[in-house]
């Protein structure tokens, strides 16, 4: 999601495939495309979580902002009309000279939680210590699927390093 342009862009068809949307479904557009599909009970919490994390993260030391990973496990309507659960992970990969995030990795995949009667789950975890922060324990999701090494590799890729350079 591009905050400046307030538009989403799916670089791959995987997200549309997760929802069972047809190939001709839009690859980019306004946030309404996504928001309209969120479960009504999760919609407000989803966007409030994104805002709360950003505000909280900006209150942390600039040098620490890349040391947190957030998770949101939410319900969304598939093309069939039924709700399914997706798990979203967000990690700041790069910050500018002032510590402002400019590159954030977001991974969305099917959730390991299958029960669509459960409300949105969310958590924030410090990568270096494994300490949970920001949200109460009752709201936490399952542990992350992306390892610290994978985060490191993605950061190097974002800076233009080749596979051979990264392997070295």
């Amino acid at each position: 999601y591009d905050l400046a342009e307030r538009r989403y862009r799916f670089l791959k068809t995987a997200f549309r495939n997760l929802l069972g949307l047809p190939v001709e479904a839009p690859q980019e557009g306004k946030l309404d495309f996504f928001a309209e599909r969120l479960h009504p009970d999760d919609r407000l919490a989803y966007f409030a979580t994104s805002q709360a994390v950003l505000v909280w993260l900006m209150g942390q030391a600039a040098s620490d902002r890349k040391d947190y990973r957030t998770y949101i496990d939410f319900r969304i309507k598939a093309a069939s009309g039924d709700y399914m659960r997706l798990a979203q992970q967000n990690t700041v990969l790069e910050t500018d000279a002032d510590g402002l995030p400019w590159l954030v990795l977001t991974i969305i995949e099917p959730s390991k939680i299958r029960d669509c009667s459960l409300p949105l789950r969310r958590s924030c975890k410090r990568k270096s210590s494994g300490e949970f922060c920001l949200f109460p324990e009752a709201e936490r999701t399952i542990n992350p699927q992306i390892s610290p090494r994978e985060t490191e590799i993605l950061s190097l890729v974002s800076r233009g390093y080749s596979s051979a350079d990264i392997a070295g």
Side-chain angles (χ1 to χ4, degrees):
Y1 185 67
D2 184 327
L3 288 172
E5 293 186 20
R6 301 184 62 82
R7 299 177 64 79
Y8 67 85
R9 180 162 301 172
F10 302 127
L11 299 179
K12 302 283 184 188
T13 59
F15 185 77
R16 290 179 290 152
N17 291 342
L18 278 175
L19 298 181
L21 298 172
V23 174
E24 63 272 7
Q27 290 188 26
E28 61 180 85
K30 299 233 179 258
L31 190 56
D32 296 347
F33 172 85
F34 178 78
E36 290 169 358
R37 286 164 175 73
L38 286 171
H39 189 284
D41 295 339
D42 290 355
R43 190 174 297 133
L44 182 59
Y46 180 90
F47 292 109
T49 297
S50 300
Q51 181 178 6
V53 167
L54 185 58
V55 169
W56 180 84
L57 197 59
M58 296 311 294
Q60 305 305 304
S63 60
D64 290 342
R65 292 182 185 150
K66 295 193 296 186
D67 193 27
Y68 293 94
R69 183 171 294 131
T70 58
Y71 311 93
I72 306 175
D73 189 293
F74 59 95
R75 298 168 288 184
I76 192 165
K77 190 181 289 188
S80 66
D82 296 325
Y83 284 98
M84 62 181 292
R85 293 193 79 93
L86 293 179
Q88 176 179 321
Q89 299 179 55
N90 300 298
T91 302
V92 176
L93 294 179
E94 296 296 333
T95 56
D96 64 16
D98 296 322
L100 298 173
W102 68 267
L103 181 61
V104 177
L105 172 66
T106 298
I107 297 173
I108 299 177
E109 60 190 356
S111 173
K112 292 183 179 180
I113 300 171
R114 298 286 182 229
D115 187 350
C116 284
S117 68
L118 295 173
L120 177 140
R121 312 288 288 172
R122 60 190 182 172
S123 63
C124 182
K125 193 173 188 179
R126 188 169 190 140
K127 295 184 284 185
S128 61
S129 68
E131 173 188 6
F132 284 98
C133 45
L134 190 59
F135 302 113
E137 184 174 352
E139 297 181 9
R140 291 189 191 145
T141 61
I142 56 177
N143 282 329
Q145 300 298 311
I146 185 169
S147 72
R149 176 65 178 150
E150 290 169 322
T151 301
E152 179 186 6
I153 290 169
L154 290 167
S155 180
L156 293 170
V157 168
S158 74
R159 290 188 236 151
Y161 286 86
S162 69
S163 295
D165 291 337
I166 294 170

